[in-house]
Amino acid sequence: MKRRDRDLQDRLVWQAASLLLAYPDEQQDRRLDTVDRLRDHITGRPATLLGETVEVLRGWRLTRAATHYVETFDLKRRSTMLLTYWTAGDTRNRGAQMLSFAQTYRAAGVQPPKGEAPDHLPVVLEFAAAVDPHGGRRLLVDHRVPIDVLRQALVDAGSPYAPTVTAVSSTLPAVGEHDARRLLHAGPPSEAVGLQPFQLTVPPRRVEGGR
């Protein structure tokens, strides 16, 4: 596959994954329909992986999907979608790392999201897919190991979101499984300096509400 075609395929995967990794609200069915249309233009295993998540989410009531989402991504540190958590934990470095995401967004002519952290994986994926594929890819590659940590945690938990993150991983350079396992075992840096504790800076989403 030519590089240009591969880049387009990656962007389609990123956009589909961003939609699938969004909080299940009243727009869920519309997002799933959009993912199915995107999958028509995605070739190979990523299309199959994204379809696996779609199939499960279509079979769940919205309340079940929302509860699973909160329990998976908001209440379990090991499966957080905040990419700087695994590279900086609750240390002073995390603020600087999150700032780099915001600066990348502004350099591309868009403002960081107000309702979500700039390092939230679905936000990064949408930015990479729809705004700045080069800058977005750089952010994803720079946080390749945290993405694989998330993938491994979701696989271990048997989550229907695991195939989607696996599809994202397939668009990025390979990483050794032992790297993710080692980080999962060791945990993130733990020096709590300059930031609120994790559970206070990332409150769980309300199951009954929207994003």
Side-chain angles (χ1 to χ4, degrees):
M1 182 180 294
K2 295 180 179 179
R3 176 61 183 272
R4 184 175 61 181
D5 294 337
R6 171 54 61 190
D7 288 344
L8 177 58
Q9 283 283 299
D10 290 349
R11 292 176 67 180
L12 292 172
V13 171
W14 296 339
Q15 184 62 76
S18 176
L19 294 170
L20 289 176
L21 294 173
Y23 176 77
D25 58 15
E26 64 278 0
Q27 299 300 315
Q28 177 83 326
D29 286 342
R30 182 176 299 178
R31 285 194 296 269
L32 295 179
D33 289 342
T34 300
V35 171
D36 279 337
R37 289 194 294 271
L38 290 170
R39 288 177 57 233
D40 288 339
H41 303 282
I42 299 173
T43 61
R45 187 165 179 259
T48 300
L49 290 167
L50 295 167
E52 291 176 11
T53 301
V54 170
E55 182 178 3
V56 173
L57 294 182
R58 282 200 187 280
W60 282 2
R61 290 180 179 271
L62 189 59
T63 52
R64 180 182 180 185
T67 299
H68 176 83
Y69 188 97
V70 170
E71 291 176 347
T72 299
F73 297 119
D74 293 340
L75 300 182
K76 296 178 182 177
R77 296 189 181 198
R78 71 195 311 265
S79 54
T80 178
M81 287 196 285
L82 297 175
L83 299 180
T84 63
Y85 174 70
W86 287 106
T87 57
D90 290 330
T91 72
R92 70 186 73 188
N93 291 331
R94 187 172 176 202
Q97 290 185 17
M98 291 180 69
L99 179 60
S100 72
F101 281 82
Q103 290 173 334
T104 300
Y105 298 156
R106 292 192 180 99
V110 297
Q111 291 299 313
K114 293 182 178 180
E116 193 62 80
D119 63 332
H120 193 236
L121 181 57
V123 172
V124 183
L125 290 169
E126 184 169 6
F127 173 77
V131 179
D132 182 357
H134 299 294
R137 183 184 293 277
R138 185 177 67 252
L139 291 175
L140 292 169
V141 171
D142 287 348
H143 295 81
R144 178 66 180 89
V145 174
I147 291 172
D148 208 59
V149 169
L150 171 62
R151 183 196 65 79
Q152 191 63 61
L154 294 174
V155 169
D156 291 347
S159 171
Y161 291 104
T164 289
V165 178
T166 300
V168 172
S169 294
S170 73
T171 69
L172 304 173
V175 64
E177 182 176 337
H178 68 281
D179 293 332
R181 288 288 187 186
R182 183 171 63 246
L183 189 54
L184 266 173
H185 178 73
S190 59
E191 177 192 7
V193 178
L195 287 174
Q196 296 288 337
F198 175 87
Q199 62 268 27
L200 297 183
T201 59
V202 189
R205 293 177 179 79
R206 299 189 303 275
V207 171
E208 68 275 11
R211 286 186 62 81

